[in-house]
Amino acid sequence: MKEIQEFEYKKSLQLRAEKTFIDITQAADDLMQKDSDGMPTARELASKSGYSIGTFYRYFGALNSLFAFIFIDRHLRKVALHAEEIIQQFTPHDEIGPVIGTIVDLLFARLNKKKHTGKKYKLLMRLLLKVSKKPEELNKVMDSVIPALLQLAQDNVTNTFRIMNENECRLALRAFQAVIRSPFLENDPIAGSAEHKKYVCEFAIGLFGKAKGQA
């Protein structure tokens, strides 16, 4: 009987911990989407979530870690998952242009949301590099799309996709991410514009597609 009571107590603690985690991350995400250049303060987060400032630090160690987690989990990983789903919806008869165009439209739609543009996007990327123990692994978040890309190219019958191995595809994906992110991080006026999107599409087709006349 004592063992059962201890188990139920531990289970109750775990459920409360999960709820606290969800409540805090949701409150922080809501605040991060507000139209402002900076990150939420601890006081704002306490007011929004209903939890004390001490609770934030107990769960995340620092607010920057919380913001970085949200950006990775609710932006980068969602983008990767959605891109993977989109790729799997295309047929072997679809040429590379529409595939790239659809993926780029998805990425730019998310980047151009208020919470991911301008100073806030740059600040979030800096936070990621600062709090991550292995910042060089940031690009790996998108690596989940590699199998879908390779499979689509292998099955495609339009002769517009470059046939690559996993290593080549990974390097191409790194370059693809760089050409999207760099203008935002450098505060370039082109960032997020129709011109930027056009260049990204052309660059991506060059990376993942066959050159004209290539067998």
Side-chain angles (χ1 to χ4, degrees):
M1 186 65 176
K2 181 180 179 182
E3 288 79 6
I4 294 177
Q5 290 176 335
E6 289 179 350
F7 173 78
E8 292 296 333
Y9 175 70
K10 290 179 180 179
K11 184 177 179 181
S12 177
L13 285 178
Q14 183 180 7
L15 290 174
R16 287 203 296 272
E18 290 177 358
K19 181 180 184 304
T20 302
F21 182 87
I22 292 172
D23 289 345
I24 292 174
T25 53
Q26 184 60 58
D29 194 21
D30 290 343
L31 289 170
M32 288 168 67
Q33 294 189 53
K34 291 176 61 178
D35 188 10
S36 62
D37 290 336
M39 294 294 104
T41 65
R43 188 182 299 276
E44 289 173 331
L45 187 52
S47 176
K48 177 74 173 177
S49 67
Y51 292 93
S52 69
I53 294 175
T55 303
F56 309 151
Y57 292 100
R58 186 161 65 250
Y59 273 79
F60 297 96
L63 287 183
N64 283 350
S65 298
L66 168 59
F67 301 144
F69 166 79
I70 290 173
F71 189 57
I72 291 176
D73 190 64
R74 302 199 178 190
H75 173 60
L76 298 183
R77 286 201 177 100
K78 277 190 176 181
V79 166
L81 179 61
H82 198 175
E84 185 179 354
E85 292 172 347
I86 287 175
I87 292 168
Q88 292 170 344
Q89 291 174 3
F90 283 96
T91 73
H93 300 280
D94 291 307
E95 295 189 354
I96 192 168
V99 176
I100 294 298
T102 303
I103 294 172
V104 171
D105 282 344
L106 160 70
L107 297 173
F108 272 73
R110 293 191 65 90
L111 283 168
N112 280 322
K113 287 183 177 180
K114 291 180 180 179
K115 67 174 180 177
H116 294 310
T117 51
K119 294 181 180 179
K120 186 168 289 188
Y121 180 83
K122 186 174 183 178
L123 177 58
L124 284 165
M125 289 301 299
R126 284 179 172 175
L127 286 178
L128 285 176
L129 296 174
K130 182 178 180 179
V131 305
S132 176
K133 293 181 179 179
K134 295 182 178 181
E136 67 276 8
E137 296 187 356
L138 176 61
N139 283 329
K140 291 185 178 180
V141 176
M142 288 294 291
D143 281 357
S144 62
V145 307
I146 291 177
L149 282 171
L150 293 177
Q151 190 64 53
L152 180 61
Q154 188 67 42
D155 296 341
N156 197 268
V157 298
T158 67
N159 200 36
T160 58
F161 283 81
R162 183 196 304 272
I163 301 300
M164 297 184 284
N165 60 34
E166 185 175 342
N167 289 330
E168 186 179 5
C169 187
R170 182 177 295 106
L171 289 175
L173 194 58
R174 296 292 184 274
F176 176 59
Q177 292 181 79
V179 78
I180 293 176
R181 289 176 181 164
S182 294
F184 286 96
L185 297 178
E186 296 167 6
N187 291 326
D188 192 316
I190 197 177
S193 67
E195 184 182 9
H196 184 196
K197 182 188 290 190
K198 173 179 176 292
Y199 293 149
V200 169
C201 284
E202 293 174 351
F203 186 72
I205 290 173
L207 285 170
F208 297 100
K210 285 186 176 181
K212 290 183 179 180
Q214 184 178 357

